[in-house]
Amino acid sequence: MVPWEGYVSDETMGTFAPIVLYWVYAGGYQLILHRRPLERYRLHTRAEEEEKNLVSLPAVVRGVLLQQLVQAIVAMILFMVTSDSSVTVVQPSITVQIFQFLIAMLVMDSWQYFVHRYMHQNKFLYRHIHSQHHRLIVPYAIGALYNHPLEGLLLDTLGGAISFLVSGMTPRTAVFFFCFAVLKTVDDHCGLWLPYNIFQNLFQNNTAYHDIHHQLQGTKYNYSQPFFSIWDRILGTHMPYNLVSRKEGGFEARPLRD
């Protein structure tokens, strides 16, 4: 039993729940980001955010909404093609669902690592497509899915679809997987290093890890997203860092090599 059973289908939830959750979670971060008591948890000062970022918040919001429109269309097509209304879907055991979850995480990480890395290494793709995401030199939560529409389709939307298909999960399991992936992606861009944050404590690929990638000296490193740092470590693109306290408050993720 799930809370939406009898009200909306799993396919509908899998399409729209991640989008709603994105705005709830990212919006919550956005509301607290500039609260003075939280200044001591910021990875960048407010002055840095205003000076370094090359795109306005309204433009970021419009870009994310466009990507989510495409995401919703692809998700509806994916579920329509893979679902059979004449067959009753039986949820597998929790053990099987956990295994499918892990497979989907590894598939998504692999897809996003190689596509992401290629977009950095191909000068045409970086200049005309991926550089849009890097207009946010100082990341913040609402900008997690701020990408060129083509990148959003290839990296995030197609990556999610492939993860769903390869893992063999049901639409109901996919609701939880897609929502989890959205929460992790937003958290990686939140710009805050918070105590007791489960994502930052459980995953090495976290807010500080990805913050390194957004800095000018780190754009050739830490391509992995959103879950693990496996491919960075295997293929030599891992950038170690120290998280140090700034004297004016907050933290700084400082790369350990040039």
Side-chain angles (χ1 to χ4, degrees):
M1 288 288 292
V2 288
W4 62 85
E5 190 167 3
Y7 297 96
V8 296
S9 67
D10 294 335
E11 290 81 1
T12 300
M13 283 295 292
T15 299
F16 295 105
I19 295 174
V20 173
L21 188 60
Y22 181 93
W23 290 107
V24 171
Y25 193 50
Y29 263 129
Q30 201 67 27
L31 288 174
I32 69 173
L33 184 61
H34 298 296
R35 295 292 180 91
R36 194 162 299 279
L38 292 177
E39 291 292 312
R40 65 184 184 275
Y41 301 123
R42 290 182 63 114
L43 293 176
H44 297 273
T45 65
R46 283 189 282 183
E48 283 182 298
E49 181 181 326
E50 293 169 0
E51 292 168 7
K52 292 183 177 181
N53 284 347
L54 305 176
V55 61
S56 67
L57 178 60
V60 168
V61 170
R62 290 194 297 271
V64 173
L65 287 172
L66 176 59
Q67 175 169 333
Q68 289 177 328
L69 173 62
V70 175
Q71 173 185 315
I73 293 171
V74 172
M76 286 188 287
I77 294 172
L78 176 68
F79 287 130
M80 181 175 63
V81 170
T82 59
S83 297
D84 186 349
S85 58
S86 65
V87 176
T88 301
V89 177
V90 178
Q91 280 295 101
S93 68
I94 294 297
T95 302
V96 170
Q97 290 183 70
I98 291 173
F99 179 73
Q100 292 173 332
F101 223 87
L102 290 172
I103 292 297
M105 291 169 74
L106 290 170
V107 170
M108 181 175 282
D109 264 24
S110 299
W111 176 265
Q112 293 206 358
Y113 175 86
F114 289 103
V115 174
H116 184 199
R117 181 173 178 175
Y118 186 66
M119 284 188 173
H120 273 271
Q121 294 180 331
N122 183 295
K123 293 181 179 179
F124 178 86
L125 291 178
Y126 183 82
R127 176 176 296 180
H128 296 284
I129 296 177
H130 188 56
S131 62
Q132 178 168 325
H133 182 68
H134 280 275
R135 292 175 187 172
L136 291 176
I137 297 171
V138 176
Y140 51 79
I142 282 181
L145 291 183
Y146 174 67
N147 299 305
H148 187 283
L150 181 58
E151 177 178 352
L153 175 63
L154 291 176
L155 192 69
D156 298 305
T157 304
L158 190 55
I162 292 172
S163 301
F164 169 74
L165 293 171
V166 171
S167 68
M169 60 177 55
T170 65
R172 180 164 297 184
T173 305
V175 174
F176 295 99
F177 175 71
F178 291 148
C179 285
F180 179 64
V182 161
L183 291 175
K184 181 64 171 61
T185 299
V186 168
D187 210 84
D188 288 347
H189 291 81
C190 73
L192 295 169
W193 187 259
L194 296 169
Y196 311 116
N197 182 305
I198 188 170
F199 294 118
Q200 294 170 8
N201 289 323
L202 288 182
F203 291 90
Q204 290 183 327
N205 187 349
N206 53 34
T207 309
Y209 187 93
H210 193 65
D211 183 77
I212 291 291
H213 177 73
H214 272 261
Q215 306 317 306
L216 295 178
Q217 69 270 41
T219 54
K220 296 181 180 179
Y221 301 94
N222 293 11
Y223 297 115
S224 292
Q225 54 185 38
F227 302 113
F228 309 114
S229 58
I230 298 170
W231 287 113
D232 276 322
R233 294 178 184 278
I234 292 175
L235 298 177
T237 54
H238 173 253
M239 171 69 82
Y241 63 90
N242 277 334
L243 195 63
V244 299
S245 298
R246 291 193 304 266
K247 62 181 181 180
E248 65 271 24
F251 297 96
E252 178 185 352
R254 187 172 296 171
L256 293 181
R257 64 183 184 219
D258 295 330

